Amino acid sequence: MTAPSTDAAGDAGTEWPLAVYRALREAGVTQASYVPDAGHARLIRALHDDTDVRTTVLTTEEEGIALAAGAWLGGDRAVLLMQSSGVGNCINMLSLPATCRFPFLTLVTMRGEWAEFNPWQIPMGLGTPATLGAMGVTLLRLERPEEAGEVVAAAANLAFDGDQQVAVLISQRMLGRKKWVEGK
């Protein structure tokens, strides 16, 4: 059996998820939903470890948009964590925050870019920016680990204070090179 493995992108590549976590908490985010993703694993652990954050594992990414809407209506701030391959699952549901004019924040780990080994990831990786843009989502790009906190804080401010739909696209290079390895 084989499984994907990540070759970390240097020492700076290991600390950026904690900067993202801090930026989310400083922005008042108290709910996080996700479909499990290795690129978000450290951030997910930090969110789970925080007793003031409610985390929800999703069966599909569009459920996270509905959860974010419910959070906002209930007075909370939420973030949806997903991989670029999940953006295609959300296209119809993205009409909810746009039509109802509520803030939406998502952090998207990109695949199909730098050093991709899986050809199935390339089409949606290439289509993610255009798909989100077509639905009126503002895109911010995170390319460098040292900018993680600042970029996520700016996205949260734009979403929650500006009542916008915002996606932070996290470069595949930040996640490190993935490769298949033999499992146990």
Side-chain angles (χ1 to χ4, degrees):
M1 181 174 223
T2 59
S5 161
T6 300
D7 180 20
D11 290 339
T14 62
E15 293 303 316
W16 68 265
L18 298 179
V20 169
Y21 163 77
R22 287 188 296 273
L24 290 172
R25 293 301 286 133
E26 288 171 8
V29 170
T30 57
Q31 293 190 38
S33 62
Y34 61 93
V35 172
D37 170 37
H40 282 304
R42 190 156 186 209
L43 174 58
I44 290 168
R45 280 192 304 275
L47 291 163
H48 271 280
D49 290 345
D50 188 331
T51 58
D52 293 327
V53 176
R54 178 178 294 148
T55 57
T56 303
V57 180
L58 307 170
T59 56
T60 184
E61 293 81 1
E62 66 264 29
E63 295 170 343
I65 297 172
L67 282 171
W72 183 254
L73 292 172
D76 286 344
R77 292 178 174 193
V79 64
L80 170 59
L81 309 177
M82 68 174 140
Q83 191 178 87
S84 55
S85 57
V87 170
N89 296 334
C90 295
I91 191 71
N92 192 46
M93 188 60 83
L94 284 168
S95 63
L96 179 65
T99 302
C100 296
R101 312 290 270 190
F102 71 80
F104 174 67
L105 177 62
T106 185
L107 307 181
V108 181
T109 54
M110 295 300 293
R111 293 289 305 270
E113 298 181 330
W114 183 78
E116 180 61 63
F117 74 97
N118 183 348
W120 290 99
Q121 293 286 352
I122 294 170
M124 198 60 229
L126 293 172
T128 290
T131 300
L132 291 169
M135 293 306 293
V137 177
T138 299
L139 303 176
L140 300 179
R141 185 89 178 164
L142 179 52
E143 299 274 351
R144 298 170 31 164
E146 63 272 15
E147 295 176 349
E150 180 183 17
V151 170
V152 172
N157 184 271
L158 184 58
F160 300 122
D161 296 335
D163 292 325
Q164 299 297 306
Q165 298 79 48
V166 183
V168 176
L169 305 183
I170 302 170
S171 169
Q172 188 170 2
R173 191 166 189 169
M174 297 243 323
L175 307 175
R177 182 184 304 262
K178 291 187 178 186
K179 57 187 172 188
W180 287 108
V181 296
E182 291 297 318
K184 295 181 181 179

